[in-house]
Amino acid sequence: MKRPSRSRSHRQLELVVDSFFFCPSCTIWRTGRPGLRSGFLRRALSTTRRNSAAIPTSHTAVNATKNVPARYKPLHEALGEVWKKASAQVNLSRLQLALQGLESETPATRVAVLGLNVQDTARRVVRLLLADALEDEGSWEKQILDPGAAFSHGLVIRYGRPPNPNLPQPRTSTPVLYVPSDVLLRNNVEVLVSTIQGLGNGELLQGAHTVTADAFLSPSVGTPTAASGRQVAISQPVHSTLLVTNGLGELMAAAELLASTNFVAPEDRRSVQSVVNLEGTKTTAAHGRQVLIVDATKAEEGLAAIRRSVTEARTYEHKWIDSGLPSLTTWLTSSSAARSEGPIPATVKTLISSVLTNATRNLQAQAALEKRSNAARSINYTTKATLEDLIEEFSRNAHQELQSGLSSAWGSRNWRKLAWYKLFWRVDDVGLIITDLITNAWLPRTERAVYELSGRFSQAGISLMDVPQNGNTVALPETEKIEEPTQVLQAQAGVATEPAVEPVLVNRTGRTEIEMAAIARPVPLSSSISAIRATQIDRAITSLTSTAQQIVLKTLSLTGLSAGLSGLTYVSVAGSMYEAGTIVALGTAYALWRMQSDWLNATKTLETALHEEGKTLIRRMVGRMRDLVEQGSKVVEDEVEVHTRREAEDAVLRAKEELERLK
């Protein structure tokens, strides 16, 4: 009888071993015992479903989808566009807080309680606001009042039970104190306790708005990040702020600080409330009062009285009311989004309106600053009129010099050396005489005037630079073959002397090709006359020298041909000296007449070319000067900056429209 029971126990043990202790890669368990396998899988899957349903989903996952309420989605998307397009004009931490407020039906409210330079009075006020009079003193009350606690740089107070000290504590950027206070739970409020620095003597003497509203509504909390105590300032945005002072001295310092703060948006100033702790002063109703008055000592005495005995409830009530703490409780309740009515909580609405107002003001300030900067770089009306008069005078003098200079050059003694009948012995002096005439007669005073105008333009902040109209085009080589090594210094010298080129697309033969075109670099306008003069000299020397040589050769050829013809006539007609002489005379006269007309035509062409080139150069220089003056007097904005600013303005305007729709 015992053997069957032993075998049954043995089989049960095998089932357990096969069920839980198996190799995942082995196929024996997957192929064997189908009934046991299916039952085990069903039980395992049901257990997994129950466990996964019990595990909470993290809302801070990287790829988590934000559950934005349907009525807030257009505004949420509009604020997202503000984040993208106008991130430089908004406080991103406050904008992030506004976006978080739209991602929930019951958003949490963040309130800052700031002490002036120290946190002692601020911590006392926070402890009185959150303490439960019907409960004994909690450990959190001792921690918040302990001057040696690790909260000297600021802390965040949230609702909850203190964590188990035996477990590892999560590391946060700002210390967090969990307080089981019904005030935090009922109002869904988080409290930031920190300090704000008062104005120094130098800032007081300035008498201007030296503090921004972000010092109150997005205070920076120092966070220790190293054992040496190195601090990193972390911005902590809030919906509203309570500035706590102790005594009349700190109250006056706080008033100076608020007076020196630039509250751009009216909502920012209304979000900052001041309170002063005056001991021994009986407070009254605080309706409409800008500064709340409390007596923390009297409130602490009342709290201690009711905690000693419930019979002292009347004492607690009198002291609590006389201390002025009910006004702070009312302020905290009114600052909560949980107490707001309407399509959007008032605190979230105020925060979004403040962020958008500040963005609009910053965009306007940026546009005004860019306009002033561009106007500072432009020339004024008086300078513009003066420069235009100088340009007009320069144009008139240049045309007069061109006309008179060329006229005097063609009538000069030096030019008469190149008379047509003197070409027989002056043909080799054509280049030298032409160079001397063009150098001394073609716009020499105008060239010096351009240098003088360059100085006047430089005084007005304008540089007389000219852009070449035509650039040299260099064909792009298909392959580059190096037959022998090139020295490094020679290669560097070649790179330094070669003109800069850029690839361009050309279509000359019906097929698009790539060619390397020289980049037109701006050159000083004063060098235009000398460069064109050198070009004209080379062109005139080449043209007139070859023309003179051809004319002389043609004249000699015609004269020789007529002499030969006259000799033949004399030989063929005996004794006809008269006929032979007539042929020589007519041939020589025709050759000389042809020589004179050809030379006069060549010189006339040169004179016309120099005159037309001079007029073209003067018109181009005058036009360039006027363009530079016109450009210098205009306020030219960067197109990229204008486009970026317009996108930011459109994003802010759309967000404002969506906010108005929810009102």
Side-chain angles (χ1 to χ4, degrees):
M1 296 297 293
K2 294 181 180 179
R3 183 173 299 175
S5 62
R6 187 181 300 111
S7 61
R8 187 181 301 109
S9 301
H10 184 68
R11 286 195 301 271
Q12 291 177 354
L13 180 61
E14 289 180 353
L15 292 176
V16 172
V17 171
D18 291 342
S19 300
F20 294 98
F21 302 99
F22 64 91
C23 179
S25 61
C26 183
T27 59
I28 298 177
W29 184 82
R30 288 194 287 267
T31 57
R33 303 179 184 273
L36 175 63
R37 185 185 64 212
S38 60
F40 178 76
L41 286 176
R42 284 194 298 270
R43 290 192 299 273
L45 289 174
S46 62
T47 304
T48 304
R49 291 193 186 97
R50 289 195 301 270
N51 293 338
S52 62
I55 297 175
T57 304
S58 174
H59 295 285
T60 60
V62 175
N63 298 323
T65 303
K66 298 178 180 179
N67 297 323
V68 181
R71 66 177 184 273
Y72 294 156
K73 281 186 178 180
L75 180 57
H76 190 276
E77 294 176 356
L79 291 179
E81 290 297 320
V82 173
W83 182 291
K84 296 177 182 178
K85 303 297 179 59
S87 58
Q89 285 77 27
V90 297
N91 187 323
L92 295 181
S93 60
R94 298 193 69 198
L95 181 57
Q96 179 65 31
L97 182 62
L99 290 172
Q100 292 176 359
L102 297 175
E103 295 169 2
S104 173
E105 293 286 354
T106 57
T109 304
R110 301 197 68 182
V111 176
V113 180
L114 304 180
L116 188 63
N117 300 324
V118 292
Q119 301 180 15
D120 298 342
T121 307
R123 292 188 185 186
R124 292 174 62 189
V125 171
V126 171
R127 179 243 180 179
L128 292 172
L129 285 175
L130 304 182
D132 190 349
L134 300 180
E135 297 288 341
D136 295 335
E137 184 180 8
S139 59
W140 66 269
E141 298 182 46
K142 298 178 181 179
Q143 290 180 348
I144 199 173
L145 295 178
D146 185 10
F151 303 143
S152 59
H153 305 292
L155 75 154
V156 176
I157 299 177
R158 296 173 180 169
Y159 174 80
R161 296 290 176 180
N164 190 347
N166 297 325
L167 297 177
Q169 304 299 321
R171 300 186 62 182
T172 57
S173 58
T174 303
V176 179
L177 180 62
Y178 292 94
V179 176
S181 173
D182 292 338
V183 177
L184 298 178
L185 178 61
R186 184 171 59 254
N187 298 312
N188 195 14
V189 172
E190 295 180 0
V191 181
L192 171 67
V193 183
S194 184
T195 59
I196 185 171
Q197 298 297 324
L199 297 177
N201 294 330
E203 294 173 325
L204 289 175
L205 293 176
Q206 290 180 2
H209 290 169
T210 58
V211 184
T212 61
D214 293 339
F216 292 93
L217 299 175
S218 185
S220 298
V221 179
T223 302
T225 58
S228 60
R230 182 171 59 90
Q231 300 293 318
V232 175
I234 298 179
S235 179
Q236 297 288 344
V238 295
H239 293 90
S240 56
T241 299
L242 182 67
L243 179 59
V244 181
T245 57
N246 186 22
L248 293 177
E250 290 189 2
L251 178 61
M252 296 301 296
E256 293 174 348
L257 178 61
L258 290 173
S260 300
T261 303
N262 183 19
F263 291 102
V264 176
E267 301 89 348
D268 294 344
R269 184 62 187 91
R270 292 193 295 265
S271 300
V272 179
Q273 179 64 53
S274 301
V275 60
V276 57
N277 178 34
L278 296 178
E279 298 182 359
T281 302
K282 184 177 181 180
T283 61
T284 58
H287 299 290
R289 185 182 295 173
Q290 295 183 354
V291 179
L292 303 179
I293 301 176
V294 298
D295 189 346
T297 302
K298 189 177 294 185
E300 290 171 350
E301 292 175 356
L303 182 62
I306 195 173
R307 282 179 173 176
R308 284 194 304 268
S309 175
V310 182
T311 59
E312 299 186 26
R314 186 174 297 275
T315 303
Y316 161 73
E317 182 180 0
H318 287 300
K319 289 184 176 293
W320 187 261
I321 294 176
D322 293 342
S323 66
L325 261 297
S327 60
L328 288 186
T329 304
T330 304
W331 173 84
L332 183 63
T333 303
S334 62
S335 301
S336 172
R339 302 296 180 180
S340 302
E341 297 179 357
I344 183 173
T347 55
V348 178
K349 173 184 172 183
T350 301
L351 176 60
I352 296 175
S353 178
S354 170
V355 170
L356 296 180
T357 301
N358 282 277
T360 302
R361 296 290 180 85
N362 291 336
L363 287 171
Q364 293 175 354
Q366 179 185 359
L369 179 61
E370 292 178 357
K371 185 177 181 180
R372 289 195 301 268
S373 178
N374 294 328
R377 292 195 298 266
S378 63
I379 60 177
N380 54 32
Y381 178 78
T382 305
T383 305
K384 179 183 177 182
T386 304
L387 293 179
E388 288 178 349
D389 293 340
L390 291 175
I391 294 173
E392 189 67 26
E393 183 181 0
F394 167 79
S395 175
R396 183 171 56 254
N397 295 335
H399 282 287
Q400 290 178 357
E401 183 194 9
L402 179 65
Q403 185 69 29
S404 61
L406 291 180
S407 298
S408 61
W410 305 134
S412 63
R413 179 181 178 184
N414 201 14
W415 177 249
R416 286 197 295 270
K417 294 179 180 178
L418 292 181
W420 65 271
Y421 56 88
K422 297 181 180 179
L423 290 179
F424 295 104
W425 62 91
R426 293 283 189 180
V427 67
D428 294 333
D429 299 336
V430 171
L432 183 61
I433 295 175
I434 289 296
T435 301
D436 182 65
L437 286 177
I438 296 179
T439 302
N440 297 323
W442 198 76
L443 303 177
R445 293 194 303 271
T446 302
E447 184 178 6
R448 291 192 295 269
V450 174
Y451 284 99
E452 295 176 359
L453 281 179
S454 299
R456 299 295 297 271
F457 273 71
S458 298
Q459 291 178 357
I462 301 176
S463 179
L464 283 182
M465 302 296 290
D466 189 21
V467 180
Q469 297 178 349
N470 298 323
N472 297 327
T473 302
V474 182
L476 181 67
E478 298 181 357
T479 58
E480 294 183 0
K481 298 181 180 180
I482 301 177
E483 299 179 355
E484 56 181 352
T486 305
Q487 298 294 332
V488 176
L489 294 179
Q490 295 179 358
Q492 293 179 353
V495 171
T497 55
E498 290 179 358
V501 294
E502 60 180 354
V504 294
L505 296 177
V506 296
N507 188 357
R508 297 191 181 96
T509 61
R511 186 179 63 179
T512 303
E513 299 178 352
I514 299 178
E515 293 185 358
M516 302 301 292
I519 301 176
R521 294 182 177 179
V523 295
L525 196 63
S526 56
S527 62
S528 300
I529 297 179
S530 58
I532 295 180
R533 181 187 292 118
T535 303
Q536 292 297 322
I537 289 175
D538 293 339
R539 187 181 303 170
I541 290 175
T542 304
S543 176
L544 280 186
T545 301
S546 61
T547 301
Q549 292 174 353
Q550 292 175 6
I551 289 174
V552 171
L553 181 60
K554 188 184 300 183
T555 301
L556 294 177
S557 299
L558 289 176
T559 303
L561 181 61
S562 61
L565 183 60
S566 65
L568 291 175
T569 303
Y570 181 79
V571 172
S572 60
V573 181
S576 60
M577 180 63 70
Y578 179 78
E579 291 81 358
T582 302
I583 293 175
V584 172
L586 290 176
T588 303
Y590 174 77
L592 294 177
W593 173 81
R594 183 68 179 269
M595 178 181 180
Q596 181 184 14
S597 60
D598 290 345
W599 181 247
L600 291 178
N601 290 333
T603 56
K604 188 64 177 180
T605 301
L606 174 62
E607 181 181 359
T608 303
L610 290 176
H611 191 268
E612 293 298 326
E613 186 66 26
K615 290 196 300 184
T616 303
L617 176 61
I618 293 172
R619 285 195 297 265
R620 185 165 62 84
M621 293 176 65
V622 171
R624 180 60 178 170
M625 291 179 185
R626 288 174 176 169
D627 291 341
L628 291 174
V629 172
E630 191 67 24
Q631 293 174 6
S633 60
K634 289 183 178 179
V635 178
V636 181
E637 294 183 345
D638 189 358
E639 295 181 359
V640 177
E641 294 290 340
V642 173
H643 179 69
T644 303
R645 188 172 66 250
R646 287 179 179 174
E647 287 185 346
E649 291 174 351
D650 294 340
V652 173
L653 181 60
R654 181 195 168 195
K656 286 185 176 181
E657 293 175 352
E658 295 296 337
L659 182 62
E660 290 291 334
R661 187 180 58 84
L662 291 175
K663 289 185 178 180

